[in-house]
Amino acid sequence: TKPTLWAITGAAGQVGRHLRTTLGSQLGNLLLLDIIDPGPVPPNEKSLIVDLRDFNTVHAALEGVTGIIHLGGIADEADFADLVSANILGTHHVLEAARQHSIRRVVYASSNRATGFYPREGTISPEQPFRPDGLYGVSKAAAETLCRLYSDKFGLEIACLRIGSFEASPSTPRELSTWLSHDDCTRAFNAALAGDYQFTTYYAVSRNTRRWWDLEAGTRIGFHPQDDAENFAPEISGEPTRPQGGAFASPEYTLSR
Ligand code: NAI
């Protein structure tokens, strides 16, 4: 059988660097795509400088890959035109290249910020409507919608992971609810790589006592987070501000025009 080759977009970023070390051995060969150089790579990895905003480059880079872990883009509030081109058009380019090359599976790193305007009382599930807490959240919601379209219309298998707060440990009251530990991040992506689904959306969050997000959708495909931010609670004082997005949801939190 042909050896597998998984492409990781945004491979030089925080999540990409983590997944390369924890999933690299089981995924086989990795093709790292980013606009910045990821530095020296081990023998099973190859890196290419690729700007997701340029369809032709994305299309050429993805020829022959087994599947795609799509992490690349702008990971916070920014000028809306930049969010549209990197996150929305960039995701379209990845999906359209996947369709043209008959790449079966795409795992997309979405964000809890697509639903940051829900109140923090109660639990929400991925079936509820988007309520982005900013323009970044809008770009993630739009990209998730593109994923849904490419799965429904063209049959790609796609998982959208709404990542919480990926940190070594929680450090704010909000993160007692939103924390995604490094090990649970590996588990969340592992489930997306190995699970059986046509399309799924789930929150990639640790099993935090104070979490706001239902774990059911992830459980169905084998994501069983094990860490709990509560263990850090004694060192963290204060209450998270409302809504779920906290400070990200305030009118002042904007880096755009
Ligand atoms: P990061 O900012 O560390 O990594 C993103 C990578 O994408 C960077 O290496 C950057 O150079 C690359 N990139 C940006 N624009 C690009 C373009 N036009 N073409 C090619 N590459 C481009 O972000 P991080 O933390 O690793 O996040 C990865 C993904 O997960 C992002 O899509 C982010 O929105 C999402 N996410 C992350 C969370 C977190 O807590 N770290 C929370 C929720 C979502």
Side-chain angles (χ1 to χ4, degrees), residues 9-10 34-35 52 70-76 83 86-87 91 136 140:
T9 73
D34 206 300
I35 30 167
L52 295 168
H70 175 37
L71 313 172
I74 299 173
D76 200 352
L83 289 165
N87 295 3
T91 298
Y136 165 65
K140 297 309 246 185

Side-chain angles (χ1 to χ4, degrees), residues 37-148:
D37 187 336
V41 297
N44 69 313
E45 295 182 353
K46 190 185 147 196
S47 79
L48 284 178
I49 300 293
V50 164
D51 188 335
L52 295 168
R53 293 170 294 190
D54 177 18
F55 176 71
N56 291 335
T57 320
V58 173
H59 182 267
L62 290 173
E63 183 171 9
V65 311
T66 312
I68 303 165
I69 301 176
H70 175 37
L71 313 172
I74 299 173
D76 200 352
E77 214 61 357
D79 188 280
F80 192 54
D82 294 335
L83 289 165
V84 167
S85 57
N87 295 3
I88 307 179
L89 288 176
T91 298
H92 181 249
H93 296 157
V94 168
L95 294 168
E96 178 56 18
R99 182 188 76 79
Q100 291 188 19
H101 291 309
S102 303
I103 297 164
R104 192 207 284 227
R105 183 162 286 198
V106 178
V107 176
Y108 175 56
S110 183
S111 173
N112 71 87
R113 307 264 299 276
T115 52
F117 253 106
Y118 279 94
R120 60 186 173 80
E121 297 76 22
T123 305
I124 62 163
S125 86
E127 282 79 51
Q128 286 171 255
F130 293 115
R131 287 183 76 176
D133 62 37
L135 297 172
Y136 165 65
V138 169
S139 75
K140 297 309 246 185
E144 276 193 28
T145 306
L146 284 165
C147 290
R148 179 95 235 198

